[in-house]
Amino acid sequence: MKKRRQKLNLNRRNFLSGTATLAGLAATASVVPINISNANHKDGSKGLPDFISWKDRNALIVHSDKGIETHRSAIGESLITPNRNVYIRNNMPTMSDKQIGDRNNWKVSIQGVKNPKTFTLAQLKKMGHTTMATILQCSGNGRGFFEHKVRGSQWKTGAAACVLWTGVPLMKVVDACGGIDGSAVFMTSAGVDHEPTGLDPKKAMVERSVPKKVYKDAMLAWEMNGVPLPNAHGGPLRMVTPGYFGINNVKHLGKVAFTTKESSVKYMKSSYRISPIGKKGSQYPSCWEMPVKSWITRPTDETGTVKAGKVQIVGVAMGGTRKVRSVKVSVDGGKSWKRARFVGPDLGKYAWRQFVLETTLTSGTYNIASLASNGSDKQPELRMENRRGYAHNGWKDHSVNITVV
Amino acid sequence: MKISKFLLILFFIFSANIQKSFSDDDKMIKGLEIFNEIAGCAGCHILKAAGSEGNVGPNLDTVSLTEDSVKEMVTYGLGVMPAYGEENILTKEQIDIVSFYVANTAGK
């Protein structure tokens, strides 16, 4: 055993020098039982990883200890997804309390502004305060519906959540630095969660560039649904880029820079690119704006058979970077559609809306689908085939089959 | 004559099985070496069987993987994980062996 550990240390040095490297065997082949009653914990003994032991195991599908999905029927029926049900997708290990230290002393540097500065979290808290609801959604949410072999967690609908963030508007911070300097084209955010690993930042740092305009609605968040931002979700400070895929909402935020070029790290240059199957490269679009999307959350095949008679068909709908305007529901696989009704409060264009269609179903089998529109775009019927299974918003794959008795 | 032919066939079947068994054992030994020392998988993954405690990629004790899915992942990489095949970090034979090893130890 001692000998083995020595070998591991050697290996670590090789890795840090860049000659040997790391592995990241995501749960490509993990089978994902959908029935909530056995919720992918067949023997009942496999719990959650320590860093998220506070989450609700019954609400979650565990693809791996780094990829954990919310059950379709556990997304939350009161608009906001409770923290205990929110999915986990971390590219780097979650930082520990020890690594973070005094949360109020957490530092973020602002660059590409007239007067570059570094602020502590305590200072940020004095600079402004706002709360905003946005949708956090992994770029690969829906990957599990693709038929070609796609590496990565096989998410269906549950790599998404609607979250209330509290923090400071980035505009306030930029203003305190004298405004953006020069002709920046991008807002580039970098996390520091790679630092404890000692890995090559070019390969491991999560640094994401988005169009500069995003900063106008962006915020630096320290609270999530009313509690200090959990480490597992990027605490103590996270970038929130409303309407943009999860990867751009950089966790454990250490730097925000206004830049003329996109970041050159791997997570920007080659990862998260939407390319045709069999092709890859930085010439393809990055996972930025989320498309319009919706899905049914009840009834589903997770909730068992449905009793004949009056049925409430419930779901969530998002407009991406625009307000979601309407949702239609079909109970016959898309042959006919009825307009659903939005329910609950409207928390702004970056939050999702819940919808309901009350209908009467007699015994039989039904394919239930939803189709959302944001006024200019609507969900396509089919997925956009792409190499890594990103940005799936086709309504057909997201439909559910139910049995009414 | 018929009996000797039968025995000969039995001998070949038996030999083949012995050979396969040795081959698999060899792959497990070589696979461990690739995992811990050559490819550096251990630097990023927990795998009890290998004594590794890396915490960058998924804990391999918590997932069940097929040999093909491991091969795919090792060959093409994902995120911070390099494409060991595409980037010629490992040979095809090494990828086959380490994939066999991981598929037979992960999630156990």
Side-chain angles (χ1 to χ4, degrees), chain A residues 3-28:
Chain A
K3 190 178 176 185
R4 183 177 281 159
R5 283 179 192 271
Q6 282 175 339
K7 286 176 180 174
L8 289 178
N9 288 337
L10 277 172
N11 163 54
R12 189 71 167 179
R13 281 201 296 277
N14 286 341
F15 177 76
L16 295 175
S17 68
T19 52
T21 40
L22 44 144
L25 292 174
T28 47

Side-chain angles (χ1 to χ4, degrees), chain A residues 25-331:
Chain A
L25 292 174
T28 47
S30 55
V31 176
V32 185
I34 293 298
N35 191 328
I36 198 163
S37 63
N38 63 12
N40 196 30
H41 41 126
K42 295 182 285 266
D43 59 6
S45 63
K46 284 186 180 175
L48 295 166
D50 288 346
F51 74 103
I52 50 163
S53 58
W54 49 272
K55 288 200 179 253
D56 181 355
R57 180 64 183 86
N58 289 326
L60 302 167
I61 301 163
V62 178
H63 296 281
S64 75
D65 63 321
K66 306 284 190 300
I68 295 174
E69 175 172 5
T70 310
H71 273 284
R72 186 190 272 258
S73 52
I75 205 86
E77 294 213 344
S78 56
L79 192 56
I80 296 299
T81 312
N83 285 356
R84 64 181 182 277
N85 290 17
V86 175
Y87 75 99
I88 289 286
R89 170 67 181 105
N90 292 341
N91 282 299
M92 286 290 112
T94 286
M95 292 182 77
S96 65
D97 286 339
K98 192 177 174 188
Q99 289 165 342
I100 290 168
D102 178 358
R103 294 171 81 86
N104 275 325
N105 200 34
W106 180 267
K107 292 180 178 64
V108 60
S109 71
I110 312 295
Q111 301 173 13
V113 288
K114 292 201 170 68
N115 304 303
K117 289 181 183 175
T118 296
F119 298 102
T120 64
L121 179 51
Q123 289 171 321
L124 291 176
K125 286 179 176 175
K126 291 179 182 175
M127 294 172 67
H129 189 95
T130 191
T131 294
M132 174 170 54
T134 77
I135 293 155
L136 201 56
Q137 181 181 213
C138 180
S139 312
N141 196 28
R143 178 181 292 135
F145 296 120
F146 284 78
E147 287 175 3
H148 68 291
K149 284 165 63 181
V150 190
R151 298 185 303 286
S153 295
Q154 301 300 297
W155 315 110
K156 292 289 183 64
T157 57
C162 189
V163 173
L164 276 171
W165 307 102
T166 294
V168 60
L170 184 57
M171 286 265 275
K172 292 263 188 188
V173 182
V174 170
D175 287 348
C177 296
I180 296 171
D181 188 33
S183 52
V185 181
F186 300 101
M187 178 183 81
T188 299
S189 311
V192 298
D193 40 355
H194 64 287
E195 289 181 359
T197 70
L199 303 178
D200 179 356
K202 283 281 178 197
K203 295 172 183 168
M205 180 165 61
V206 180
E207 184 173 67
R208 292 288 302 175
S209 302
V210 294
K212 184 184 73 174
K213 65 180 180 184
V214 176
Y215 94 99
K216 291 177 182 172
D217 282 345
M219 68 185 292
L220 309 184
W222 54 75
E223 265 195 23
M224 178 180 180
N225 291 335
V227 297
L229 183 58
N231 298 356
H233 292 291
L237 190 69
R238 178 175 194 163
M239 169 61 75
V240 175
T241 52
Y244 279 61
F245 277 113
I247 184 66
N248 304 292
N249 297 252
V250 174
K251 303 181 187 89
H252 305 295
L253 187 69
K255 185 181 77 176
V256 182
F258 293 92
T259 57
T260 53
K261 290 183 179 172
E262 290 182 8
S263 169
S264 60
V265 304
K266 188 178 180 187
Y267 278 116
M268 186 70 217
K269 199 172 177 185
S270 54
S271 298
Y272 294 95
R273 294 283 171 174
I274 305 172
S275 61
I277 296 169
K279 296 186 175 178
K280 62 178 182 177
S282 58
Q283 69 271 33
Y284 296 106
S286 192
C287 289
W288 280 347
E289 295 181 340
M290 295 188 287
V292 60
K293 186 171 179 178
S294 69
W295 61 90
I296 306 291
T297 58
R298 178 167 61 92
T300 75
D301 50 358
E302 288 182 348
T303 46
T305 55
V306 177
K307 196 175 173 188
K310 192 185 286 184
V311 176
Q312 307 291 331
I313 298 173
V314 181
V316 292
M318 64 178 83
T321 51
R322 291 167 176 265
K323 187 180 177 70
V324 62
R325 298 286 176 186
S326 66
V327 183
K328 293 185 287 188
V329 169
S330 172
V331 296

Side-chain angles (χ1 to χ4, degrees), chain A residues 343-381:
Chain A
V343 293
D346 180 352
L347 295 181
K349 65 179 178 179
Y350 298 125
W352 62 36
R353 294 298 306 271
Q354 288 178 286
F355 63 85
V356 62
L357 177 76
E358 183 177 291
T359 189
T360 301
L361 299 177
T362 55
S363 59
T365 57
Y366 296 86
N367 177 260
I368 309 181
S370 62
L371 197 169
S373 168
N374 63 11
S376 61
D377 296 314
K378 64 178 183 178
Q379 285 181 256
E381 177 179 356

Side-chain angles (χ1 to χ4, degrees), chain B:
Chain B
M1 189 64 178
K2 279 182 180 174
I3 290 172
S4 58
K5 265 188 179 176
F6 176 71
L7 288 173
L8 195 63
I9 290 167
L10 267 185
F11 173 76
F12 278 121
I13 291 171
F14 185 67
S15 304
N17 281 339
I18 293 272
Q19 182 59 40
K20 183 174 184 298
S21 172
F22 278 143
S23 175
D24 286 355
D25 282 350
D26 287 347
K27 282 198 277 187
M28 291 301 280
I29 293 166
K30 185 70 183 164
L32 172 64
E33 187 189 346
I34 296 169
F35 187 91
N36 274 350
E37 298 173 50
I38 298 173
C41 314
C44 289
H45 292 285
I46 293 172
L47 181 61
K48 254 185 318 199
S52 66
E53 296 173 352
N55 185 33
V56 176
N59 174 343
L60 298 180
D61 291 325
T62 67
V63 293
S64 293
L65 300 162
T66 64
E67 200 173 328
D68 281 348
S69 70
V70 181
K71 266 185 209 172
E72 171 95 356
M73 186 66 72
V74 175
T75 302
Y76 298 105
L78 181 69
V80 71
M81 178 174 170
Y84 287 91
E86 277 189 324
E87 295 171 15
N88 296 316
I89 300 168
L90 294 178
T91 64
K92 188 182 175 305
E93 186 187 32
Q94 286 174 317
I95 291 173
D96 288 348
I97 291 170
V98 78
S99 302
F100 178 85
Y101 173 75
V102 170
N104 282 285
T105 51
K108 300 289 190 280

